[in-house]
Amino acid sequence: MRLQNVNWILTATMPKSRSVSRNKKMSTLTVSAPARLNLARRMSRLGTETAFEVLVRARALEKQGKHIVHLEIGEPDFDTPKNIVEAAVDALHMGYTHYGPSAGLPDLREAIAEDVSKSRGVKFTSDEVVVVPGGKPIIFFTMLALVEEGDEVIYPNPGFPIYESMINFLGAKAVPIPLREERDFRLDVNELADLITDRTKLIIINSPQNPTGGVLTRNDIYDIATVIGDRDIMVLSDEIYCRLLFEGEPFSISAVDGFKDRTIILDGFSKTYAMTGWRMGYGVMRSDLATHIARLMTNSNSCTASFTQIAGIEAIRGEQTATEHMRLEFQRRRDVMVNGLNQIKGFSCRLPKGAFYTFPNITQTGWPSKKLADAILDEAGVAALSGTAFGAFGEGYLRFSVANSIENINTALDRIDQWTKKNL
Ligand SMILES: Cc1ncc(COP(=O)(O)O)c(C=O)c1O
């Protein structure tokens, strides 16, 4: 009998009468062994984002009384601009505390469509927009909607670790395209051409890029589009850092002739408006795909929180000076960080063109990335990420976020310098 199989035992005699209620029967049972957790096999293929693990380790060291400079996590250290916070508070008072449509509130979808049309130079309508809790769900939902087991997905490596995690989770084949320092971490289009096969379903590009700060040029993007040609391959264009660009103009592959229908733009509020904890992002895509992504929302989250969406309208339509201030401040910190890293023995660092990360080459230290990141955290009190947290091609690098004050960045640089002088 099944009960025996799972090791249930009866501690009292079972009631004889069938008329005894089911609840009473249950109350006489105790369990002698913990239930075995039989996870679905796919869970073993799910990756993670090391930044959160390093943050936990750093916090544990702080609890022991150590002082840590946090350069591991990818979130702006600025407060969400006041006008946005006030719009959310007002929305709560106005009763935006209920479910809304799965694809997002119509007014926010309209505001996003207008904003993205202007910034990308392509006309989008609100039925091509789906609002989701953060940028991340667009990665997951796009792949759930498009990628079958055995399909191939090409993604940048080093790159945001969730791409590879999701591809593997879905049983698809993860095909990394290496990003190399000598190309300023822009993918090589000839290499991309060699990786495309009949099974390629999706290509992920990310510019400005996490973790390298690399930015694809307009020519790169035209070359990528040319290589894809008229094949039935979709492009997930992760543009979440598009407002954090230090040189030139952003350019989206959706603006290339024939690519509006092939592109899913991922963008959101987390980085541009310092709203990481609000959980609000969006995808912009052809409306027939948007319908399916909205259905995934119905099945998972129902909708993004309504009052945060009202604040999202204010973020897009309101004053933009705070965003520009953050961009300039990140640029200033990047310059301090890169300059400082280049003075440290064994480190060399290119100037990132966007986002808020630096990605120094540490091969001359002779240390593997993970070991060096661990030692710098434990012994120098600086939390950074190993390049390998972003894939195998991240070996030989560390990632330092510059989402911290210049004062703290200088402290971190000093500490790493002292540490290398002692240990290398
Ligand atoms: C490249 C990239 N895409 C997407 C995301 C996800 O953003 P969100 O926090 O809005 O989910 C991040 C966050 O770090 C990122 O770096």
Side-chain angles (χ1 to χ4, degrees):
M1 220 175 109
R2 199 156 170 73
L3 279 180
Q4 283 161 342
N5 290 346
V6 291
N7 259 343
W8 288 68
I9 57 157
L10 297 171
T11 53
T13 48
M14 282 286 280
K16 289 178 188 104
S17 161
R18 282 200 155 257
S19 65
V20 174
S21 81
R22 201 175 159 73
N23 280 350
K24 259 195 178 156
K25 265 194 205 173
M26 294 303 285
S27 68
T28 62
L29 293 173
T30 40
V31 180
S32 69
R36 248 200 335 213
L37 179 62
N38 291 317
L39 281 178
R41 234 175 311 150
R42 72 176 80 85
M43 289 308 290
S44 66
R45 303 195 296 265
L46 194 61
T48 189
E49 209 182 331
T50 311
F52 291 102
E53 289 171 11
V54 174
L55 179 65
V56 168
R57 279 191 53 212
R59 293 263 184 258
L61 289 170
E62 282 171 328
K63 263 202 160 157
Q64 293 165 22
K66 289 202 173 152
H67 181 268
I68 306 290
V69 182
H70 290 274
L71 301 180
E72 75 279 41
I73 204 89
E75 71 170 339
D77 55 320
F78 301 99
D79 290 334
T80 303
K82 234 183 172 155
N83 59 317
I84 302 174
V85 174
E86 277 162 11
V89 172
D90 289 348
L92 280 168
H93 288 304
M94 285 189 296
Y96 282 95
T97 51
H98 300 275
Y99 292 132
S102 294
L105 294 177
D107 286 355
L108 176 59
R109 293 174 78 198
E110 187 61 48
I112 292 169
E114 263 176 36
D115 186 50
V116 174
S117 300
K118 206 158 90 194
S119 55
R120 274 66 169 193
V122 189
K123 177 79 190 122
F124 288 103
T125 50
S126 59
D127 60 341
E128 294 171 306
V129 175
V130 186
V131 182
V132 293
K136 252 182 197 168
I138 289 297
I139 302 172
F140 195 17
F141 293 163
T142 297
M143 289 202 214
L144 273 174
L146 297 177
V147 177
E148 307 262 20
E149 234 178 275
D151 284 345
E152 295 178 7
V153 180
I154 301 177
Y155 67 102
N157 189 321
F160 189 48
I162 300 306
Y163 307 142
E164 189 178 298
S165 168
M166 285 297 129
I167 301 167
N168 290 332
F169 186 64
L170 295 175
K173 183 174 171 199
V175 182
I177 173 130
L179 301 186
R180 297 206 171 78
E181 185 181 352
E182 57 271 24
R183 291 187 50 83
D184 268 333
F185 301 107
R186 293 156 36 237
L187 64 79
D188 180 337
V189 179
N190 294 322
E191 228 169 325
L192 176 67
D194 289 342
L195 292 174
I196 295 176
T197 74
D198 291 345
R199 306 247 27 190
T200 305
K201 195 63 164 286
L202 182 71
I203 296 175
I204 303 174
I205 55 177
N206 172 214
S207 174
Q209 212 246 351
N210 176 10
T212 65
V215 173
L216 292 167
T217 64
R218 183 180 277 255
N219 280 346
D220 290 333
I221 289 174
Y222 271 105
D223 288 346
I224 293 168
T226 306
V227 157
I228 295 171
D230 55 9
R231 284 186 257 221
D232 285 332
I233 294 174
M234 298 292 279
V235 180
L236 173 59
S237 182
D238 187 339
E239 302 176 12
I240 201 145
Y241 295 102
C242 67
R243 295 281 291 275
L244 293 171
L245 191 64
F246 305 128
E247 283 171 32
E249 289 293 305
F251 185 68
S252 170
I253 194 164
S254 62
V256 177
D257 272 353
F259 271 75
K260 185 186 168 207
D261 274 0
R262 290 186 165 81
T263 306
I264 299 102
I265 296 175
L266 180 163
D267 202 345
F269 297 79
S270 300
K271 318 287 175 174
T272 307
Y273 299 105
M275 290 172 73
T276 48
W278 293 63
R279 306 316 299 141
M280 189 162 48
Y282 53 86
V284 184
M285 67 206 81
R286 52 196 289 168
S287 60
D288 53 357
L289 176 59
T291 311
H292 292 282
I293 302 292
R295 198 130 55 92
L296 285 165
M297 271 296 286
T298 307
N299 278 268
S300 52
N301 301 283
S302 295
C303 63
T304 305
S306 299
F307 62 94
T308 62
Q309 293 190 61
I310 297 293
I313 299 171
E314 173 61 24
I316 289 176
R317 297 223 162 114
E319 185 60 60
Q320 301 294 306
T321 43
T323 295
E324 184 55 11
H325 166 75
M326 286 190 271
R327 189 185 71 83
L328 292 171
E329 186 56 27
F330 284 135
Q331 185 167 5
R332 213 160 68 89
R333 297 170 183 184
R334 169 202 70 167
D335 292 345
V336 171
M337 189 77 194
V338 169
N339 195 25
L341 286 170
N342 281 325
Q343 322 279 325
I344 297 175
K345 188 177 171 197
F347 283 61
S348 69
C349 190
R350 293 199 171 212
L351 201 62
K353 295 192 167 61
F356 42 69
Y357 308 108
T358 54
F359 202 61
N361 184 323
I362 51 89
T363 46
Q364 293 305 310
T365 63
W367 283 51
S369 298
K370 172 82 171 66
K371 195 170 161 211
L372 185 61
D374 287 347
I376 285 179
L377 172 59
D378 294 333
E379 296 164 29
V382 178
L385 296 186
S386 162
T388 50
F390 303 91
F393 291 96
E395 182 54 83
Y397 299 88
L398 295 184
R399 189 194 81 171
F400 294 93
S401 153
V402 292
N404 209 327
S405 65
I406 298 253
E407 190 190 350
N408 286 338
I409 287 172
N410 277 325
T411 305
L413 288 166
D414 243 23
R415 289 184 183 180
I416 300 167
D417 190 39
Q418 296 302 322
W419 184 91
T420 53
K421 282 184 176 135
K422 227 187 322 172
N423 293 281
L424 301 185

Short mmCIF file of all heavy atoms in Angstrom, two decimals, residues 104-126:
data_model
loop_
_atom_site.label_atom_id
_atom_site.label_comp_id
_atom_site.label_asym_id
_atom_site.label_seq_id
_atom_site.Cartn_x
_atom_site.Cartn_y
_atom_site.Cartn_z
N GLY A 104 -0.49 45.04 -18.67
CA GLY A 104 -0.12 46.34 -18.12
C GLY A 104 -1.26 47.32 -18.27
O GLY A 104 -2.18 47.13 -19.08
N LEU A 105 -1.22 48.40 -17.46
CA LEU A 105 -2.26 49.43 -17.55
C LEU A 105 -2.16 50.13 -18.91
O LEU A 105 -1.05 50.47 -19.35
CB LEU A 105 -2.08 50.46 -16.42
CG LEU A 105 -2.29 49.96 -14.99
CD1 LEU A 105 -2.00 51.07 -13.99
CD2 LEU A 105 -3.72 49.43 -14.80
N PRO A 106 -3.30 50.35 -19.58
CA PRO A 106 -3.26 50.95 -20.93
C PRO A 106 -2.46 52.26 -20.99
O PRO A 106 -1.71 52.47 -21.94
CB PRO A 106 -4.74 51.19 -21.25
CG PRO A 106 -5.48 50.19 -20.42
CD PRO A 106 -4.66 49.98 -19.18
N ASP A 107 -2.60 53.11 -19.96
CA ASP A 107 -1.89 54.40 -20.02
C ASP A 107 -0.37 54.21 -19.96
O ASP A 107 0.38 54.96 -20.59
CB ASP A 107 -2.33 55.31 -18.86
CG ASP A 107 -3.73 55.87 -19.09
OD1 ASP A 107 -4.29 55.61 -20.19
OD2 ASP A 107 -4.27 56.52 -18.18
N LEU A 108 0.06 53.23 -19.17
CA LEU A 108 1.52 52.99 -19.11
C LEU A 108 2.00 52.38 -20.42
O LEU A 108 3.05 52.78 -20.95
CB LEU A 108 1.88 52.07 -17.93
CG LEU A 108 3.36 51.71 -17.85
CD1 LEU A 108 4.25 52.95 -17.72
CD2 LEU A 108 3.64 50.74 -16.69
N ARG A 109 1.24 51.45 -20.98
CA ARG A 109 1.65 50.84 -22.25
C ARG A 109 1.75 51.91 -23.34
O ARG A 109 2.67 51.89 -24.17
CB ARG A 109 0.65 49.75 -22.67
CG ARG A 109 0.67 48.55 -21.72
CD ARG A 109 -0.41 47.56 -22.05
NE ARG A 109 -0.10 46.72 -23.19
CZ ARG A 109 -1.00 46.02 -23.87
NH1 ARG A 109 -2.29 46.09 -23.56
NH2 ARG A 109 -0.64 45.25 -24.88
N GLU A 110 0.81 52.85 -23.29
CA GLU A 110 0.82 53.95 -24.26
C GLU A 110 2.09 54.81 -24.06
O GLU A 110 2.78 55.16 -25.02
CB GLU A 110 -0.45 54.79 -24.03
CG GLU A 110 -0.72 55.87 -25.04
CD GLU A 110 -0.90 55.34 -26.46
OE1 GLU A 110 -1.66 54.37 -26.62
OE2 GLU A 110 -0.25 55.89 -27.37
N ALA A 111 2.38 55.12 -22.78
CA ALA A 111 3.56 55.97 -22.49
C ALA A 111 4.84 55.26 -22.93
O ALA A 111 5.75 55.88 -23.50
CB ALA A 111 3.62 56.27 -20.98
N ILE A 112 4.91 53.95 -22.69
CA ILE A 112 6.11 53.19 -23.09
C ILE A 112 6.23 53.17 -24.61
O ILE A 112 7.30 53.41 -25.18
CB ILE A 112 6.06 51.75 -22.52
CG1 ILE A 112 6.20 51.78 -21.00
CG2 ILE A 112 7.16 50.88 -23.13
CD1 ILE A 112 5.92 50.44 -20.30
N ALA A 113 5.09 52.91 -25.29
CA ALA A 113 5.11 52.85 -26.76
C ALA A 113 5.63 54.17 -27.34
O ALA A 113 6.49 54.19 -28.23
CB ALA A 113 3.73 52.53 -27.30
N GLU A 114 5.15 55.28 -26.79
CA GLU A 114 5.59 56.61 -27.27
C GLU A 114 7.08 56.81 -27.02
O GLU A 114 7.83 57.26 -27.88
CB GLU A 114 4.87 57.70 -26.46
CG GLU A 114 3.65 58.26 -27.14
CD GLU A 114 2.95 59.26 -26.22
OE1 GLU A 114 3.65 59.99 -25.47
OE2 GLU A 114 1.71 59.26 -26.22
N ASP A 115 7.50 56.46 -25.79
CA ASP A 115 8.89 56.68 -25.40
C ASP A 115 9.86 55.83 -26.23
O ASP A 115 10.89 56.31 -26.71
CB ASP A 115 9.02 56.33 -23.90
CG ASP A 115 10.38 56.67 -23.34
OD1 ASP A 115 10.83 57.81 -23.56
OD2 ASP A 115 11.01 55.79 -22.72
N VAL A 116 9.49 54.56 -26.41
CA VAL A 116 10.37 53.65 -27.16
C VAL A 116 10.37 54.03 -28.64
O VAL A 116 11.40 53.96 -29.31
CB VAL A 116 9.96 52.17 -26.92
CG1 VAL A 116 10.75 51.23 -27.79
CG2 VAL A 116 10.15 51.81 -25.45
N SER A 117 9.23 54.48 -29.15
CA SER A 117 9.18 54.92 -30.56
C SER A 117 10.16 56.08 -30.77
O SER A 117 10.88 56.12 -31.76
CB SER A 117 7.78 55.42 -30.94
OG SER A 117 6.83 54.41 -30.78
N LYS A 118 10.17 57.00 -29.79
CA LYS A 118 11.03 58.18 -29.92
C LYS A 118 12.51 57.79 -29.80
O LYS A 118 13.33 58.18 -30.61
CB LYS A 118 10.65 59.18 -28.82
CG LYS A 118 10.98 60.60 -29.20
CD LYS A 118 10.18 61.61 -28.42
CE LYS A 118 10.95 61.95 -27.17
NZ LYS A 118 10.25 62.64 -26.15
N SER A 119 12.82 56.97 -28.78
CA SER A 119 14.23 56.67 -28.53
C SER A 119 14.80 55.71 -29.57
O SER A 119 16.00 55.76 -29.85
CB SER A 119 14.43 56.12 -27.12
OG SER A 119 13.60 54.99 -26.92
N ARG A 120 13.98 54.83 -30.16
CA ARG A 120 14.51 53.86 -31.14
C ARG A 120 14.25 54.29 -32.58
O ARG A 120 14.72 53.64 -33.52
CB ARG A 120 13.89 52.47 -30.93
CG ARG A 120 14.61 51.61 -29.89
CD ARG A 120 14.53 52.15 -28.50
NE ARG A 120 14.98 51.21 -27.49
CZ ARG A 120 14.78 51.37 -26.19
NH1 ARG A 120 14.17 52.45 -25.73
NH2 ARG A 120 15.23 50.48 -25.33
N GLY A 121 13.46 55.34 -32.76
CA GLY A 121 13.18 55.79 -34.11
C GLY A 121 12.33 54.80 -34.91
O GLY A 121 12.45 54.72 -36.14
N VAL A 122 11.50 54.04 -34.23
CA VAL A 122 10.61 53.07 -34.89
C VAL A 122 9.23 53.27 -34.26
O VAL A 122 9.14 53.44 -33.04
CB VAL A 122 11.03 51.61 -34.56
CG1 VAL A 122 10.26 50.61 -35.41
CG2 VAL A 122 12.53 51.41 -34.72
N LYS A 123 8.18 53.22 -35.07
CA LYS A 123 6.84 53.45 -34.49
C LYS A 123 6.31 52.18 -33.83
O LYS A 123 6.17 51.13 -34.46
CB LYS A 123 5.90 53.90 -35.64
CG LYS A 123 4.48 54.10 -35.22
CD LYS A 123 4.29 55.44 -34.51
CE LYS A 123 2.91 55.53 -33.89
NZ LYS A 123 2.91 55.76 -32.45
N PHE A 124 6.07 52.28 -32.52
CA PHE A 124 5.44 51.18 -31.79
C PHE A 124 4.10 51.63 -31.25
O PHE A 124 3.92 52.80 -30.92
CB PHE A 124 6.31 50.74 -30.61
CG PHE A 124 7.57 50.01 -31.02
CD1 PHE A 124 8.80 50.66 -31.00
CD2 PHE A 124 7.53 48.67 -31.42
CE1 PHE A 124 9.96 50.00 -31.38
CE2 PHE A 124 8.68 48.00 -31.80
CZ PHE A 124 9.90 48.67 -31.78
N THR A 125 3.16 50.68 -31.13
CA THR A 125 1.86 50.99 -30.53
C THR A 125 1.71 50.24 -29.21
O THR A 125 2.48 49.29 -28.95
CB THR A 125 0.71 50.59 -31.49
OG1 THR A 125 0.94 49.25 -31.91
CG2 THR A 125 0.66 51.51 -32.69
N SER A 126 0.72 50.62 -28.42
CA SER A 126 0.63 50.06 -27.06
C SER A 126 0.34 48.56 -27.06
O SER A 126 0.69 47.87 -26.11
CB SER A 126 -0.42 50.81 -26.24
OG SER A 126 -1.66 50.72 -26.88
#
